Amino acid sequence: MQVVPGIEYVDETSPAHIYVLDDGGEITLIDAGLPNEAPKVLAYLERSGRSAQQVKRIVLTHRHGDHAGAVPELVAATGAVVYAHADEAAALVEQPAMPQNVQHLQDGDVLPVFEGLHAIAVPGHTSGHLCFYLPERKVLFTGDAMLNRGGISGPSAQHTPDVSRAHTSLREKIASLEVETLCVAHGDVIAQGAGQRLRAAIAALAV
Ligand SMILES: [Zn+2]
């Protein structure tokens, strides 16, 4: 499903979206879905006329199984390099079959995707949670730092060990960004005009 030109998500994955960034045929995935979802990703690529070998990077927002579960199978199929914050990487490499050479990202790092894919540290949901931002395109990938299930919100309190830190992170790191397109992991993607609603949602978060 196309969100905006060059940015899609894999149809039919559940519960978290897997984003496909196609930069002139060089593909970056943001998150990787549940352990059993690699075939869906590979089928999506094939259906859209692409090969698994075009996937160069798998960039993870955080360690949870609905975001990183299919990494081992996808790496085996594509040869992609995996990127995550050091805290997340440390947890991931403990898991069976997970690649051991996860590349570390920290706040402010920029990956060579489109005009530059910026990593933004937004701790709270996990200690090393990252959002990703394309400033020229004004596209924000929130991971689990924000949801859009019947309205934009902060992370699920039930699944977030430090909600207060998560909210502070959003106020300090996300509220001032110029955002047109909001790509949440859970819930509805907003293709255009997300900025105002995003800022209002962050302003409404509990202190
Ligand atoms: Zn999560």
Side-chain angles (χ1 to χ4, degrees), residues 62 64 66-67 125-126 129 144 159 186:
H62 65 298
H64 289 158
D66 53 335
H67 297 258
H125 179 69
T126 59
H129 190 290
D144 280 0
H159 300 108
H186 300 287

Side-chain angles (χ1 to χ4, degrees), residues 6-80:
I7 300 173
E8 305 165 19
Y9 62 86
V10 177
D11 299 297
E12 296 164 10
T13 60
S14 176
H17 293 309
I18 300 168
Y19 288 97
V20 178
L21 281 56
D22 188 337
D23 183 4
E26 186 176 291
I27 294 171
T28 300
L29 302 179
I30 297 185
D31 285 339
L34 290 166
N36 62 0
E37 292 193 302
K40 287 185 197 169
V41 177
L42 298 171
Y44 179 84
L45 293 172
E46 193 177 327
R47 213 162 54 235
S48 55
R50 301 167 171 128
S51 71
Q53 289 67 37
Q54 287 175 257
V55 180
K56 303 302 181 194
R57 300 175 196 85
I58 301 172
V59 179
L60 299 174
T61 58
H62 65 298
R63 69 189 77 170
H64 289 158
D66 53 335
H67 297 258
V71 163
E73 210 176 322
L74 285 173
V75 167
T78 64

Side-chain angles (χ1 to χ4, degrees), residues 140 142-157 160 163 166-167 170 174 182 184-188 190 197-206:
L140 178 68
T142 68
D144 280 0
M146 301 198 85
L147 314 173
N148 186 27
R149 287 173 163 156
I152 304 171
S153 70
S156 152
T160 301
V163 172
H167 288 182
L170 292 171
I174 301 298
L182 188 68
V184 294
H186 300 287
D188 295 329
I190 300 174
R197 288 156 69 188
L198 175 67
R199 278 190 296 279
I202 294 173
L205 293 171

